[in-house]
Amino acid sequence: MCWSVGLSHCCLVLACLLICAEAVPISIDKTKVSPPPEKPEEKTQNVDTGLHYDRYLREVIDFLEKDQHFREKLHNTDMEDIKKGKLAKELDFVSHNVRTKLDELKRQEVSRLRTLIKAKQDIEGGKDMAIDHQALLKQFEYLNHMNPHTFEVDDLDRLIKSATRDLENYDKERHEEFKRYEMMKEHERREHLRTLDEENRQKEEEHYEELKKKHADHPKINHPGSQDQLKEVWEEADGLDPEDFDPKTFFNLHDTNGDGYFDEQELEALFTKELEKLYDPTNEEDDMVEMEEERLRMREHVMNEVDINKDRLVSLDEFLVATKKKEFLEPESWETLEQNPAYTDEELKEFEEQLAKEEQDLNQKSADLQKQKEELERQQEQLNAQKLELQQVRRL
């Protein structure tokens, strides 16, 4: 998913909170550069960061951007100072109108959280229980719940630190979701096989192995971020002579927003050609969910190798330093997903045992509910019989 709020001056320091993680659709090759047609300026559409407080985060940043003093400080503050809370202190110098709007945003967010807490309480069967909102609000660390009325320095500090931490964990959570997806896919395949007779089961297994072989039969995958990989983009996407490859020119060509940095979306766009070798949405053997996981793996690898200051952006200097390393000139072969299974046999076994337990629990709950239903029906029948008997007595 894409982490960005479209800051007008492309400030890199808060971009770490709003960096792109959404995959670039493979049908759209954003690595080709051509002069954009002139058209009226359109408002940049904010895209969900994936955080449960995404809207609150974006609205706070949008309003802070409207304050000239804060915007200048944002532009001139590095990532480490932001993490230390130095940028948050600048809130004291923000205009009254912006502060008033931030107060309103915080009150709305606290109200939203209280509504969610109440809804969860109702779902869990505690409609008649008193709710300690203050205690429950403690779990939402991105705002100061003790002061639900005004947006203070501590609120901005909490929001920045929480978003930074949560976005850093986001890729890990995506990997875990992908692992569960792969295990469920394998589980459902095995369950389907159990429903077949011996002959059809054999045919299904042969078809499965055939699809695996077809998927594995692809052109060589260049190591992401290597000279070979970037030269291929230079030649096939940019239409330039590979003998004229120049790292600085390449960077400027693919820094599509011209801010002097590769963000995660711009990096992922560079892998389009490699992913097209591996995945075709029209092929039965190619799973588009796996394609997005491969894209994520490639982007993570390049970030780990090139992003020296870990601000989730690649500067021109960082990029040029990387192009002089041995790994860039003589990379090792890239191991794709089929060579790196998402789960072990033991993990799959535990997953299936957990599914079996959950199914057993659901069946038990279903049986209990059925018994309750039957008991209620029996009681209703008794009431109806008593009512009929009473009516007959009255007639006498």
Side-chain angles (χ1 to χ4, degrees):
M1 352 190 128
C2 184
W3 298 341
S4 73
V5 284
L7 301 182
S8 60
H9 61 290
C10 302
C11 296
L12 76 98
V13 289
L14 264 189
C16 76
L17 305 179
L18 313 157
I19 290 172
C20 229
E22 181 181 11
V24 179
I26 200 160
S27 60
I28 302 174
D29 189 353
K30 294 190 176 182
T31 60
K32 292 189 176 181
V33 178
S34 58
E38 292 186 6
K39 58 181 180 180
E41 184 178 351
E42 297 180 357
K43 184 179 180 181
T44 302
Q45 181 178 352
N46 293 333
V47 189
D48 199 329
T49 63
L51 303 177
H52 70 86
Y53 51 93
D54 168 78
R55 181 174 178 177
Y56 176 64
L57 170 66
R58 289 189 287 108
E59 288 179 339
V60 168
I61 298 300
D62 286 344
F63 274 99
L64 287 172
E65 266 285 295
K66 295 175 181 178
D67 184 87
Q68 183 177 356
H69 171 81
F70 191 88
R71 187 167 60 249
E72 291 174 355
K73 289 295 181 180
L74 176 62
H75 184 72
N76 295 310
T77 307
D78 62 35
M79 191 60 216
E80 287 306 311
D81 283 342
I82 288 180
K83 289 181 178 180
K84 292 175 182 177
K86 291 186 178 180
L87 182 64
K89 295 177 182 178
E90 298 299 326
L91 185 66
D92 287 335
F93 304 99
V94 168
S95 70
H96 174 73
N97 289 340
V98 172
R99 287 296 295 268
T100 300
K101 186 59 183 177
L102 293 175
D103 293 343
E104 181 183 341
L105 289 176
K106 182 178 178 181
R107 288 192 292 271
Q108 291 173 354
E109 183 68 3
V110 171
S111 176
R112 182 183 75 89
L113 295 178
R114 285 175 172 166
T115 301
L116 290 176
I117 290 170
K118 178 65 167 59
K120 182 180 179 182
Q121 195 89 355
D122 291 345
I123 291 172
E124 293 175 351
K127 293 184 179 181
D128 298 327
M129 296 173 58
I131 301 175
D132 186 350
H133 283 100
Q134 289 289 50
L136 292 172
L137 283 170
K138 287 182 180 179
Q139 63 187 295
F140 303 108
E141 298 179 357
Y142 62 92
L143 51 72
N144 180 3
H145 65 280
M146 298 302 294
N147 172 18
H149 305 296
T150 58
F151 189 95
E152 305 295 341
V153 170
D154 182 50
D155 290 294
L156 182 56
D157 189 39
R158 284 169 177 260
L159 184 59
I160 291 173
K161 289 178 179 178
S162 293
T164 303
R165 180 189 64 247
D166 294 343
L167 290 178
E168 286 173 350
N169 293 331
Y170 193 66
D171 283 348
K172 181 179 178 181
E173 292 173 2
R174 283 184 63 186
H175 285 309
E176 288 300 315
E177 288 177 7
F178 176 73
K179 180 191 289 188
R180 288 192 293 272
Y181 168 81
E182 289 287 283
M183 290 191 292
M184 181 59 78
K185 189 167 72 169
E186 176 62 15
H187 170 72
E188 291 176 347
R189 187 186 75 84
R190 293 182 179 186
E191 288 296 301
H192 174 64
L193 290 175
R194 290 191 181 98
T195 66
L196 305 177
D197 58 35
E198 186 62 32
E199 181 181 353
N200 287 318
R201 187 182 304 118
Q202 176 117 16
K203 289 181 180 178
E204 193 71 20
E205 289 281 25
E206 289 174 356
H207 181 61
Y208 175 70
E209 292 300 324
E210 180 185 346
L211 291 179
K212 286 175 65 177
K213 288 180 181 178
K214 285 177 68 177
H215 177 69
D217 183 19
H218 53 71
K220 175 189 173 184
I221 303 301
N222 291 312
H223 198 94
S226 68
Q227 179 175 245
D228 291 340
Q229 191 255 313
L230 299 187
K231 271 190 174 183
E232 189 170 281
V233 175
W234 174 274
E235 180 179 10
E236 296 188 14
D238 301 333
L240 299 173
D241 189 336
E243 298 300 319
D244 296 332
F245 178 77
D246 176 66
K248 185 173 181 180
T249 302
F250 181 90
F251 185 93
N252 290 331
L253 278 173
H254 296 278
D255 173 21
T256 54
N257 63 4
D259 66 351
Y261 298 87
F262 277 163
D263 61 27
E264 294 183 345
Q265 186 179 33
E266 290 167 331
L267 270 181
E268 288 179 358
L270 300 179
F271 309 139
T272 299
K273 290 296 178 184
E274 300 306 313
L275 292 168
E276 285 176 343
K277 298 176 187 177
L278 284 166
Y279 298 95
D280 183 339
T282 65
N283 291 342
E284 181 185 1
E285 68 271 15
D286 296 337
D287 186 332
M288 294 301 102
V289 174
E290 292 178 355
M291 181 190 74
E292 295 308 325
E293 176 69 8
E294 191 73 74
R295 190 194 305 274
L296 174 59
R297 291 178 68 241
M298 290 179 172
R299 187 253 296 162
E300 279 186 327
H301 172 75
V302 173
M303 276 293 187
N304 288 336
E305 294 291 317
V306 182
D307 180 20
I308 298 172
N309 65 359
K310 303 305 176 186
D311 63 354
R312 302 180 73 92
L313 297 166
V314 175
S315 67
L316 174 60
D317 288 342
E318 288 174 325
F319 181 75
L320 294 179
V321 167
T323 61
K324 297 173 184 176
K325 294 181 179 178
K326 180 181 179 181
E327 293 83 355
F328 177 78
L329 302 172
E330 302 174 15
E332 298 178 355
S333 60
W334 177 252
E335 293 187 350
T336 56
L337 275 175
E338 67 260 20
Q339 298 166 292
N340 289 273
Y343 56 86
T344 64
D345 291 340
E346 184 63 29
E347 286 174 326
L348 179 59
K349 180 181 177 182
E350 292 177 1
F351 178 75
E352 291 191 312
E353 288 174 352
Q354 180 63 28
L355 285 180
K357 184 178 182 304
E358 290 174 0
E359 184 177 3
Q360 184 179 8
D361 291 343
L362 285 173
N363 289 337
Q364 183 61 52
K365 288 180 180 179
S366 178
D368 292 342
L369 288 172
Q370 182 62 32
K371 287 181 180 179
Q372 292 176 21
K373 178 184 176 183
E374 292 172 356
E375 176 61 21
L376 288 171
E377 289 175 347
R378 186 186 65 79
Q379 292 177 8
Q380 186 63 48
E381 288 177 0
Q382 288 180 341
L383 289 172
N384 290 340
Q386 291 172 3
K387 181 179 179 181
L388 181 60
E389 183 179 350
L390 182 59
Q391 288 174 345
Q392 290 173 345
V393 169
R394 286 178 176 174
R395 288 194 190 114
L396 295 175

